[in-house]
Amino acid sequence: TADLIVTPGSHRFGVDWKGLALDTPIPTPEGFVPMGCLKVGDMVFDMHGTPTRVIGVSEIKNLDCYEVRFRNGETITCDAEHLWTLSDGSVVGVRDLARGDLIPVAAPLEERYTVPPPMDPWVLGFWLGDGNRSRGEVTKAEDSRCWQEFERLGYELGKIQRDPRSQRSVTRAIKGLAVPLRGCGQLKNKHIPTDILRWSVEDRQRFVQGFCDSDGSWNPQRGQAVWSQVDTEIADGFFAVLCSLGEKPYRWSHDASGFGLTVREYRVVW
């Protein structure tokens, strides 16, 4: 970032660059890009969630750096020249930051030219959580309201297949689901779509709803949504989607047991 840029006609720059670590992930319409890979002409999202064009890149500096840790456990590394805008509008240097200072989160990312999701975002989110990675099947409690939602969206349900390991869980084919999943490369390759930051806010919200209806729950004591997965890349991607909606999620991992297995579980709450 720069303190001052003089543009119309003059093309003169009055610049005092503020540095971040080169591996800092920067949100762009094409996904997250390391700070050190950005170049003039690239599009990035600003603090208001609006795409803006990079018009200058500084040389790489080697300065004293500071790690700033936020309440949700996330950290960022910036250099000694970096300035921070607080929620009250004041601007302070990194050396003057104090425990308890409030730094506003970015607004929901708004792409000027949104792209449509490859399929219904609720369905994709739900299948990523509780779907068979190789087929258009879903496993969930027999009395889950998800079955009515699939039917409401026009899908026909296959016959109930009982899970011998669980008294409540059943598996059902969602007829016609394999076609769009195969079309967007999800079968045998579950992943958060790379262009999801270019979806509309409403489509991203709908995706989150589907993911939470499968792998999520509600903690009434803390007033928090809780989501968990065993795939670290999907968990990281879901965390990024929540941040893109202006949320302030927390994440951590721990060992969890179930169905005779012990696995590493990645949990996100907000």
Side-chain angles (χ1 to χ4, degrees), residues 5 30 48 113 162 213:
I5 299 178
E30 305 303 324
H48 305 293
Y113 306 103
R162 302 283 175 186
D213 284 342

Side-chain angles (χ1 to χ4, degrees), residues 24-33 38 43-46 106 109 197 244:
T24 303
I26 304 298
T28 81
E30 305 303 324
F32 284 85
V33 174
L38 292 176
M43 297 296 293
V44 299
F45 288 103
D46 64 17
L109 303 186
L197 297 187
S244 82

Side-chain angles (χ1 to χ4, degrees), residues 63-132:
L63 302 174
D64 289 342
C65 290
Y66 293 82
E67 182 180 79
V68 180
R69 183 176 298 275
F70 301 94
R71 186 169 61 185
N72 66 349
E74 298 301 305
T75 62
I76 192 168
T77 300
C78 68
D79 66 25
E81 296 178 342
H82 204 289
L83 301 177
W84 291 87
T85 300
L86 305 183
S87 58
D88 62 3
S90 62
V91 178
V92 299
V94 64
R95 292 189 180 97
D96 296 320
L97 277 179
R99 185 186 297 271
D101 282 345
L102 296 178
I103 297 173
V105 297
L109 303 186
E110 294 274 7
E111 171 58 60
R112 290 194 186 97
Y113 306 103
T114 59
V115 298
M119 56 187 294
D120 184 283
W122 181 89
V123 174
L124 177 57
F126 194 94
W127 179 84
L128 283 175
D130 281 335
N132 184 314

